Amino acid sequence: MTIKSDESKLLANFQDLLNLLKEDNVPHRANPEQQSVELPTQSGDLEGEMLILWDARSSLVQCIHPLPFEVPEDRIPAAESAIARINHALTLPGFGLNHVSRLLYYRLSVPRRDDGTLSVQELQRLFRTTVKTAADFYLPLSGVVREGKNPEQVIANASSISGFPDSR
């Protein structure tokens, strides 16, 4: 997603977020009642949608990027093991498993400023980090879930990704 607006511009509420996306012609689907927006994403092998939640009560903005496959019931323990290993090694852990939908996801939450605002630059960084992290681990997690690979291999498969720390 590319936002062309002034990066120092401050977003004070959900409507400001919607206005920004509309002004910059960013494709999205909004749900004002839930204060959420879905954006299409494409990064490497990962193509999907990211959910943005503007939480007015907690002063947080969350980006959640599900991985585009369901986890079969028999692979849930392996998926749980894999995401626990990844989260332990990540500086910003955030992988999870929704046991109802059986979807893996990466979630990044950031607090807004004391006055409730978030700059466009901060929002862009939140988007980029969420999509990049989900994309970086899409293939290793897909291997565990879809191909039956050992969850211990998820770190070995991901360690070749630039910037991924040694898991020791």
Side-chain angles (χ1 to χ4, degrees):
M1 179 189 85
T2 303
I3 296 177
K4 302 171 203 97
S5 295
D6 175 11
E7 289 187 343
S8 64
K9 179 178 178 177
L10 296 178
L11 306 174
N13 53 44
F14 180 70
Q15 188 59 51
D16 285 353
L17 172 62
L18 293 181
N19 293 343
L20 174 73
L21 296 173
K22 185 176 180 181
E23 288 167 15
D24 288 349
N25 296 315
V26 175
H28 65 280
R29 274 191 323 273
N31 183 334
E33 288 180 14
Q34 293 184 357
Q35 298 215 330
S36 67
V37 171
E38 291 181 52
L39 303 169
T41 63
Q42 169 66 51
S43 180
D45 292 318
L46 177 65
E47 188 172 333
E49 288 194 339
M50 179 173 52
L51 178 67
I52 302 164
L53 299 172
W54 186 281
D55 191 334
R57 291 176 300 164
S58 68
S59 291
L60 294 173
V61 175
Q62 299 180 60
C63 284
I64 304 167
H65 200 300
L67 299 183
F69 54 83
E70 285 186 19
V71 179
E73 193 73 35
D74 66 326
R75 295 303 294 164
I76 287 176
E80 291 170 336
S81 177
I83 62 176
R85 292 168 191 281
I86 293 170
N87 282 336
H88 175 72
L90 283 175
T91 303
L92 285 171
F95 277 97
L97 169 63
N98 180 323
H99 286 83
V100 175
S101 66
R102 296 198 331 248
L103 291 176
L104 295 173
Y105 60 85
Y106 181 73
R107 176 196 323 246
L108 186 56
S109 302
V110 297
R112 295 192 306 271
R113 297 169 185 201
D114 288 342
D115 64 0
T117 63
L118 187 73
S119 74
V120 170
Q121 181 180 31
E122 292 164 329
L123 183 67
Q124 285 182 310
R125 191 172 25 240
L126 176 62
F127 292 165
R128 281 193 308 267
T129 301
T130 302
V131 173
K132 181 178 181 340
T133 305
D136 283 350
F137 293 95
Y138 168 63
L139 290 178
L141 285 167
S142 179
V144 169
V145 171
R146 294 169 149 176
E147 299 166 28
K149 291 184 178 177
N150 186 325
E152 293 176 16
Q153 293 300 111
V154 77
I155 296 298
N157 294 342
S159 63
S160 64
I161 296 168
S162 175
F164 189 71
D166 188 337
S167 62
R168 284 178 267 176

